[in-house]
Amino acid sequence: MEVFSVMLVLPLFWTLTWDSVVSDSIIHIGAIFDESAKKDDEVFRLAVADLNLNEEILSTEKITFSVTFVDGNNPFQAVQEACDLMNQGILALVSSIGCMSAGSLQSLADAMHIPHLYIQRAPAGTPRSSCSITHPTKSEDYTLFVRPPVYLNEVILKVTAEYAWQKFIIFYDTEYDIRGIQDFLDKVSQQGIDVALQKVENNINKMITGMFTTMRIEELNRYRDTLRRAILFMSPSIAKAFISEVVETNLVAFDCHWIIINEEMTDLDVQELVRRSIGRLTLIRQIFPLPQNTSERCIRGNHRISTSLCDPKELYSQNMEITNRYIYDTVLLLANAFHKKLEDRKWHSMASLTCIRKNSKPWQGGRSMLETVKKGGVSGLTSLLEFNDNGVNPNIYFEILGTNYGEDLGRGVHKLGSWTPISGLNGTLTDRKLENNMRGVVLRVVTVLEEPFVMVSENVLGKPKKYRGFSIDVLDGLSSYLGFKYEIYIAPDHKYGSPQSDGSWNGLIGELVFKRADVGISALTITPDRENVVDFTSRYMDYSVGVLLKKAERTMDMFACLAPFDLSLWACIAGTVLLVGLLVYLLNWFNPPRLQMGSVTSTTLYNSMWFVYGSFVQQGGEVPYTTLATRMMMGVWWLFALIVISSYTANLAAFLTITRTENSIQSLQDLSKQTEIPYGTVLDSAVYDHVRTKGMNPFERDGMYSQMWKMMNRSGGPENNVEESQEGIRRVRYGNFAFVWDAAVLEYVAINDADCSFYTVGNTIADRGYGIALQHGSPYRDIFSQRILELQQNGDMDILKQKWWPKDNQCDLYSPVNTKQKGSALDIKSFAGVFCILAAGIVLSCFIAMLETWWNKRKGSRVPSKEDDKEIDLEHLHRRVNSLCTEDDSPHKQFSTSSIDLTPLDIDSLPTRQALEQISDFRNTHITTTTFIPEQIQTLSRSLSAKAASGFAFGGVQDHRTGPFRQRAPNGGFFRSPMKTMSSIPYQQTPSPGFNFGNDPDRGTSI
């Protein structure tokens, strides 16, 4: 940069010194520039310096100049300065000013016959307007128009016709003369095109703010719709500020298409405009074709242009304005004309002219110099500079650039076509309709979290949230088919949106109204109020109002096992058991049964009661009843017990698996009629507005909504209503509350509840539906609706519904009973009473056992009577045997065959002798043994004492009888002593009559 500054300063310094050195040069030109265009003067001086260094063009003479600055809007000043320059003596006058002063300079040049090369300059880079300059006859016209005429009318008319725009708005800044496009406005109005005009003030922010404060919502929406197609006649700096402001205030969205037309638009301006804008952008500017060969870009015939001016990569060249380039080429054109005049030796010396005097004569060489300049032509920074017969430069080239729809900051700019006065439009311009191709479009989606429509699936710190849900699946289906991308965010206030007191909207709808979002999606219902401010697609799911209630809790008491029968029935059953037991005892007492020998049972009252109870609980009994009356009684009793037990078993299963409910709410009508359970919905929601509208309508025939509104609006609303749907669900779960909300949302909550503690009721008639909200006038409404209909027709929408609302769920959505369809295991509450009864029985049994132990210790051992026990006590047997053995020591003592009769006799402890024979084989002795062991009363026995056993000298007889024997313990009870070896009874053989009893199984053991 420092080197460039030195290179630029050196020619300028040389030029300034040249004025004093060669002040007597015969080539002197004057220049008038606008005082705001200092760079025109800079380029002018640089051009003179370059040409003075070119020996091929000006070898002997050098160019001198005089420069003056004027106010472009002061024609008098411009004429006065021009007269001063003519008084100095000039060969030509170069001016770069606006149209207001150009006419005065033209008249002066025509009068003084001074060639005037006029370069039209627009103020502050604003697009040019056609100057209303009258063209006199050719012989009197000394003004040459270096810059081509304004063709903006022709270009913009052709472009809008190609895009087939029927409605748009034109923005222009304060410096632009709107009369410049009057011809364009006349032509489009004849075609029936709706065109609006709006001036952009210098304070753009104030202008935009004023529109928001003065316009109503409906007017603002219509204005936004108009902004979708716009043409900007502004300077690049004003256009940048205006685009930034309307984008930040969300007056435009990505679907807008704006055209910016300005000849003064550099590459840096194009990049900045594209970066700040959204939607599609078309830019029209004037360019100068460059030679394809880079080495020839700075060489123009016999002249070499400074690299800083001709190389497009140089920063100075990039910042040059179009007027700067024309000024350089104008100086080059004059230098070539002077060179030609000098070579032809047709030089006319400069004359000092006085404009003030009336009798001032014009310059005599003016016509000759004008013709030389007019016929010449140069190739410079503006490509080819030449004039036609009218003194106008016809060479102009417009480049048309464009972007695609979208809001990607890095989206590229590509050339769409070009336009020239001769060939017209070269290229095809189409305002591409989206249809089924939205690739490159990025939508900004606003949502509200609502299960299962929109839920956060992943929330990693520092990364964008990821979402899932039914509505997200629908949006993904649209995105994959149409090709667009989207960025999603949650509404700041987490609300769907409702109209405010000032007419604005909040929530999700407010984001769309104020153009902060392009699409709104969630559990969003289509309502008339919302459709007034936003557009909706066709419904993708039906909507109905539902109520979420908590299922009745299972109230299982400790004695649920007794629930199948009423208390009176239990009392009757208990009385029946006692009565039948007493009758059985009496029947057996009047007609005693004949018992088998060895039987241990008796027909006491206790045994009768125990037998009746055992048969009732299907456990059997031990008392044999052989009489016909008793058996008839027991048969009827068993049939009675079978029926009772079967009924109890069947009824118990139902009571343990099904809980009766006390909740009678099965519809919205039932909900409105009761007051025990409070209910409400989300404040300022669509459900809230729906109930309020119908409840306050005096012509509503159904009083249901009136009752519901009274409940919801109790204490002004906050008492029974909630701020968010999740709060309402929590109130249902943990309190006595019914939540009125979207049926689809409530069904999902009930399905996914782990305890299946919810059920829903509602209206089965769908009067509305869920839809996708878009900005008012959005071009995507129709294609979104078409795709949604296709998803519904081919069954994809049903698949998505089945994903979030499965039919084979484990919970019953419509039953107030707290059960699961697949059943569940019984818990401890169902059997608590059974365990309590068992525990009570165990405690009572232990208490009775302690009483029996205490009683036995106090009374001591007692001998049972024959009425209690028909068996002989073994202690008595021991005493008998011992007495016999001690009184008579004779080994041949004979015993009576019927002397001792006992039921079980354990001879396991007697000594065993190998030489003994089997007892059953000794039939000739006076001692025989027969053993009766009933199968049902096999018990243990106590062995005889060793002293008693040693008193028998029976001899070597081996007994092979094995098995357990039953005997009475000393305390009167029984005990078991298993026999592991075969026992024998020693005896002494004595003559005796041959008693042959054998082993009678029906008798006891006899010695």
Side-chain angles (χ1 to χ4, degrees):
M1 191 65 186
E2 294 179 356
V3 176
F4 170 73
S5 301
V6 173
M7 294 176 60
L8 184 60
V9 170
L10 285 177
L12 293 177
F13 176 76
W14 181 85
T15 304
L16 293 175
T17 57
W18 185 263
D19 291 341
S20 59
V21 174
V22 291
S23 58
D24 56 348
S25 174
I26 63 173
I27 303 176
H28 188 74
I29 58 178
I32 298 177
F33 300 133
D34 194 292
E35 59 185 3
S36 62
K38 299 297 183 181
K39 199 168 186 178
D40 288 348
D41 175 62
E42 184 180 314
V43 174
F44 178 79
R45 295 175 182 273
L46 185 59
V48 172
D50 282 350
L51 291 168
N52 285 335
L53 294 176
N54 192 338
E55 298 293 337
E56 295 184 6
I57 298 177
L58 299 174
S59 58
T60 58
E61 299 293 336
K62 302 300 179 183
I63 300 176
T64 60
F65 60 88
S66 297
V67 178
T68 183
F69 296 93
V70 298
D71 183 2
N73 296 325
N74 192 345
F76 179 77
Q77 181 187 8
V79 171
Q80 185 178 6
E81 294 295 338
C83 288
D84 293 341
L85 293 176
M86 292 179 184
N87 191 23
Q88 298 176 14
I90 56 175
L91 297 176
L93 176 63
V94 179
S95 66
S96 175
I97 55 177
C99 294
M100 187 174 294
S101 300
S104 301
L105 291 180
Q106 180 189 16
S107 299
L108 180 61
D110 293 342
M112 296 292 103
H113 292 186
I114 298 297
H116 177 212
L117 284 80
Y118 172 62
I119 304 169
Q120 182 184 359
R121 164 173 283 278
T126 302
R128 294 186 301 154
S129 297
S130 299
C131 294
S132 57
I133 299 177
T134 59
H135 294 276
T137 61
K138 295 181 180 180
S139 60
E140 297 178 357
D141 189 5
Y142 282 82
T143 299
L144 299 177
F145 296 90
V146 177
R147 192 165 183 178
V150 179
Y151 289 102
L152 299 183
N153 286 280
E154 291 80 0
V155 177
I156 198 64
L157 183 63
K158 183 63 177 178
V159 171
T160 54
E162 290 291 317
Y163 284 146
W165 284 9
Q166 297 299 317
K167 179 181 179 181
F168 55 88
I169 184 172
I170 295 178
F171 292 101
Y172 60 96
D173 57 23
T174 56
E175 300 295 336
Y176 182 71
D177 187 359
I178 194 61
R179 294 174 297 178
I181 58 171
Q182 186 62 47
D183 184 54
F184 167 71
L185 296 176
D186 293 340
K187 291 182 179 180
V188 296
S189 62
Q190 293 174 2
Q191 299 174 8
I193 300 176
D194 186 5
V195 181
L197 295 174
Q198 184 175 356
K199 180 188 290 187
V200 177
E201 304 295 338
N202 293 330
N203 192 341
I204 301 175
N205 181 269
K206 183 179 179 181
M207 183 189 73
I208 300 298
T209 305
M211 288 192 299
F212 276 99
T213 56
T214 57
M215 288 185 177
R216 294 178 298 177
I217 296 296
E218 295 79 6
E219 296 175 341
L220 202 58
N221 289 331
R222 288 194 295 268
Y223 181 70
R224 286 195 180 102
D225 189 27
T226 304
L227 292 182
R228 291 176 54 205
R229 300 291 181 265
I231 302 175
L232 275 60
F233 286 90
M234 302 177 184
S235 65
S237 59
I238 298 297
K240 295 174 189 176
F242 181 70
I243 290 176
S244 299
E245 192 68 28
V246 295
V247 170
E248 291 176 1
T249 55
N250 293 294
L251 283 174
V252 294
F254 62 89
D255 61 333
C256 69
H257 186 182
W258 282 16
I259 299 175
I260 304 177
I261 183 167
N262 194 326
E263 297 166 318
E264 298 279 357
M265 195 183 307
T266 64
D267 292 340
L268 296 178
D269 294 332
V270 171
Q271 295 176 6
E272 187 67 17
L273 288 170
V274 172
R275 187 186 68 82
R276 298 190 182 194
S277 66
I278 61 175
R280 185 177 183 183
L281 202 63
T282 299
L283 304 107
I284 304 173
R285 64 174 181 172
Q286 181 185 356
I287 65 168
F288 307 100
L290 298 175
Q292 297 295 330
N293 192 350
T294 56
S295 61
E296 299 178 357
R297 290 180 179 177
C298 295
I299 299 176
R300 298 292 190 270
N302 56 355
H303 177 67
R304 181 179 181 86
I305 306 175
S306 176
T307 306
S308 62
L309 302 178
C310 63
D311 191 352
K313 297 181 180 179
E314 293 290 338
L315 181 60
Y316 190 83
S317 175
Q318 295 176 359
N319 293 327
M320 287 181 65
E321 299 176 0
I322 292 181
T323 53
N324 303 150
R325 297 176 181 273
Y326 278 114
I327 287 174
Y328 189 96
D329 288 354
T330 299
V331 176
L332 179 60
L333 178 64
L334 289 174
N336 280 278
F338 296 152
H339 174 72
K340 185 174 181 57
K341 294 290 289 184
L342 292 173
E343 283 186 344
D344 295 343
R345 298 182 181 274
K346 295 180 180 180
W347 186 262
H348 296 274
S349 60
M350 295 179 294
S352 178
L353 303 177
T354 302
C355 303
I356 300 176
R357 296 178 183 179
K358 294 182 180 180
N359 56 355
S360 297
K361 294 183 180 181
W363 181 36
Q364 298 297 326
R367 174 55 58 180
S368 176
M369 182 62 70
L370 178 64
E371 293 297 331
T372 303
V373 175
K374 188 175 181 181
K375 292 179 180 179
V378 294
S379 177
L381 297 178
T382 60
S383 186
L384 181 61
L385 175 58
E386 60 182 2
F387 300 98
N388 56 19
D389 295 339
N390 295 325
V392 177
N393 179 14
N395 300 317
I396 189 170
Y397 184 91
F398 285 98
E399 181 184 45
I400 304 175
L401 303 176
T403 64
N404 293 326
Y405 284 101
E407 52 185 5
D408 295 335
L409 296 179
R411 66 188 192 278
V413 181
H414 54 276
K415 184 176 180 180
L416 302 178
S418 60
W419 187 92
T420 62
I422 300 175
S423 61
L425 179 63
N426 183 18
T428 302
L429 302 179
T430 56
D431 195 1
R432 176 177 56 85
K433 295 182 179 180
L434 299 175
E435 296 178 354
N436 293 335
N437 185 9
M438 292 177 59
R439 301 193 182 279
V441 176
V442 179
L443 302 180
R444 186 165 175 79
V445 181
V446 62
T447 188
V448 174
L449 296 181
E450 188 74 78
E451 296 181 351
F453 290 87
V454 179
M455 299 174 287
V456 177
S457 62
E458 183 177 344
N459 187 9
V460 180
L461 185 63
K463 295 183 178 180
K465 294 181 180 179
K466 294 184 178 180
Y467 298 87
R468 65 185 182 93
F470 176 66
S471 296
I472 299 299
D473 290 344
V474 175
L475 186 62
D476 289 339
L478 297 175
S479 175
S480 61
Y481 181 78
L482 299 175
F484 65 87
K485 297 180 180 180
Y486 64 88
E487 298 174 355
I488 191 168
Y489 72 98
I490 301 175
D493 55 1
H494 302 276
K495 294 183 178 180
Y496 288 98
S498 60
Q500 304 300 300
S501 58
D502 58 353
S504 62
W505 283 72
N506 62 354
L508 183 149
I509 301 297
E511 296 295 303
L512 294 172
V513 169
F514 291 105
K515 303 294 182 179
R516 290 189 286 265
D518 307 309
V519 177
I521 192 168
S522 184
L524 189 64
T525 55
I526 304 173
T527 63
D529 292 338
R530 291 172 177 173
E531 283 192 307
N532 289 333
V533 293
V534 297
D535 288 345
F536 278 97
T537 63
S538 59
R539 65 173 67 180
Y540 60 87
M541 184 176 180
D542 292 333
Y543 165 85
S544 61
V545 178
V547 183
L548 183 69
L549 297 124
K550 193 173 183 179
K551 293 183 178 180
E553 295 290 341
R554 295 186 62 183
T555 56
M556 298 293 295
D557 56 3
M558 295 180 59
F559 299 97
C561 57
L562 303 178
F565 290 166
D566 188 65
L567 181 62
S568 59
L569 181 59
W570 281 116
C572 292
I573 293 175
T576 304
V577 171
L578 297 177
L579 179 61
V580 172
L582 179 61
L583 292 176
V584 169
Y585 171 74
L586 293 176
L587 291 175
N588 285 296
W589 186 70
F590 288 117
N591 188 13
R594 184 176 182 179
L595 302 179
Q596 296 179 357
M597 182 173 290
S599 174
V600 299
T601 61
S602 62
T603 58
T604 62
L605 179 61
Y606 169 78
N607 287 339
S608 298
M609 291 291 182
W610 182 254
F611 175 74
V612 171
Y613 174 75
S615 61
F616 178 78
V617 296
Q618 299 180 352
Q619 298 299 319
E622 297 180 355
V623 180
Y625 299 101
T626 58
T627 63
L628 179 61
T630 305
R631 290 185 177 182
M632 179 65 69
M633 172 68 69
M634 293 311 301
V636 175
W637 171 249
W638 287 339
L639 180 61
F640 170 81
L642 177 63
I643 296 174
V644 171
I645 295 299
S646 300
S647 301
Y648 174 81
T649 304
N651 222 17
L652 179 64
F655 268 84
L656 293 180
T657 56
I658 298 178
T659 305
R660 291 175 184 160
T661 178
E662 298 178 357
N663 196 343
S664 59
I665 300 177
Q666 298 295 328
S667 63
L668 289 175
Q669 287 78 6
D670 296 339
L671 183 69
S672 63
K673 293 177 183 178
Q674 60 85 39
T675 56
E676 296 179 358
I677 302 178
Y679 52 89
T681 185
V682 178
L683 281 171
D684 298 329
S685 62
V687 177
Y688 184 84
D689 295 337
H690 179 71
V691 176
R692 178 180 59 186
T693 302
K694 286 186 172 292
M696 299 178 65
N697 185 7
F699 300 101
E700 181 69 31
R701 296 182 178 179
D702 191 358
M704 177 186 68
Y705 290 102
S706 178
Q707 296 294 332
M708 293 179 65
W709 174 243
K710 290 180 181 179
M711 174 64 75
M712 290 183 179
N713 198 38
R714 181 182 296 178
S715 300
E719 179 181 352
N720 290 335
N721 297 295
V722 295
E723 294 292 335
E724 296 181 1
S725 60
Q726 293 299 323
E727 181 182 351
I729 296 172
R730 285 192 296 269
R731 289 187 61 178
V732 175
R733 184 185 299 274
Y734 300 111
N736 185 33
F737 186 74
F739 183 49
V740 182
W741 195 235
D742 299 358
V745 177
L746 301 181
E747 288 179 2
Y748 176 82
V749 173
I751 288 173
N752 292 272
D753 185 60
D755 300 328
C756 294
S757 59
F758 296 127
Y759 79 99
T760 63
V761 298
N763 189 1
T764 58
I765 301 176
D767 55 349
R768 285 179 288 175
Y770 297 98
I772 300 176
L774 302 102
Q775 293 179 5
H776 184 72
S778 176
Y780 306 122
R781 179 186 61 183
D782 295 337
I783 56 176
F784 276 24
S785 299
Q786 181 181 357
R787 180 54 184 165
I788 289 173
L789 293 176
E790 293 177 359
L791 292 174
Q792 293 174 342
Q793 186 175 3
N794 57 27
D796 292 340
M797 196 68 71
D798 295 332
I799 296 176
L800 295 180
K801 292 179 183 179
Q802 180 65 23
K803 174 183 176 182
W804 297 102
W805 291 275
K807 296 181 180 179
D808 55 345
N809 59 84
Q810 62 178 357
C811 301
D812 188 354
L813 303 181
Y814 311 107
S815 174
V817 179
N818 190 10
T819 58
K820 297 183 180 179
Q821 292 181 358
K822 294 184 178 180
S824 60
L826 296 176
D827 52 10
I828 187 62
K829 295 180 181 179
S830 303
F831 280 90
V834 179
F835 286 101
C836 290
I837 294 174
L838 178 62
I842 293 174
V843 172
L844 183 62
S845 300
C846 294
F847 178 73
I848 294 175
M850 289 186 295
L851 288 178
E852 287 181 345
T853 303
W854 174 78
W855 180 261
N856 291 334
K857 287 183 178 181
R858 181 179 179 182
K859 295 296 182 179
S861 300
R862 64 183 182 87
V863 179
S865 62
K866 289 185 179 181
E867 289 78 4
D868 296 335
D869 195 350
K870 298 298 182 178
E871 298 178 359
I872 301 298
D873 190 359
L874 290 181
E875 294 295 335
H876 179 66
L877 174 63
H878 292 170
R879 288 193 298 269
R880 289 282 307 273
V881 173
N882 291 336
S883 63
L884 291 175
C885 293
T886 53
E887 291 177 0
D888 192 355
D889 294 334
S890 175
H892 303 286
K893 180 71 177 178
Q894 294 185 0
F895 296 91
S896 174
T897 58
S898 60
S899 61
I900 301 176
D901 186 13
L902 68 158
T903 302
L905 179 62
D906 189 359
I907 58 175
D908 184 46
S909 60
L910 298 179
T912 304
R913 296 183 181 181
Q914 299 296 330
L916 294 178
E917 297 180 358
Q918 294 183 0
I919 296 177
S920 59
D921 295 336
F922 296 94
R923 299 182 176 89
N924 298 325
T925 63
H926 294 282
I927 299 177
T928 61
T929 63
T930 60
T931 304
F932 169 68
I933 306 176
E935 291 295 330
Q936 67 272 20
I937 58 172
Q938 289 186 6
T939 59
L940 299 179
S941 62
R942 185 173 63 87
S943 301
L944 296 174
S945 64
K947 181 179 179 180
S950 61
F952 294 95
F954 297 142
V957 180
Q958 185 178 4
D959 188 6
H960 293 277
R961 294 181 180 274
T962 62
F965 291 86
R966 183 176 182 179
Q967 69 180 28
R968 176 73 63 178
N971 60 358
F974 295 95
F975 65 91
R976 182 178 294 274
S977 176
M979 295 178 61
K980 298 181 181 180
T981 59
M982 288 180 288
S983 302
S984 60
I985 301 178
Y987 67 97
Q988 183 72 28
Q989 183 176 3
T990 56
S992 176
F995 298 100
N996 187 11
F997 293 96
N999 295 332
D1000 188 359
D1002 294 331
R1003 297 181 59 83
T1005 301
S1006 299
I1007 301 177

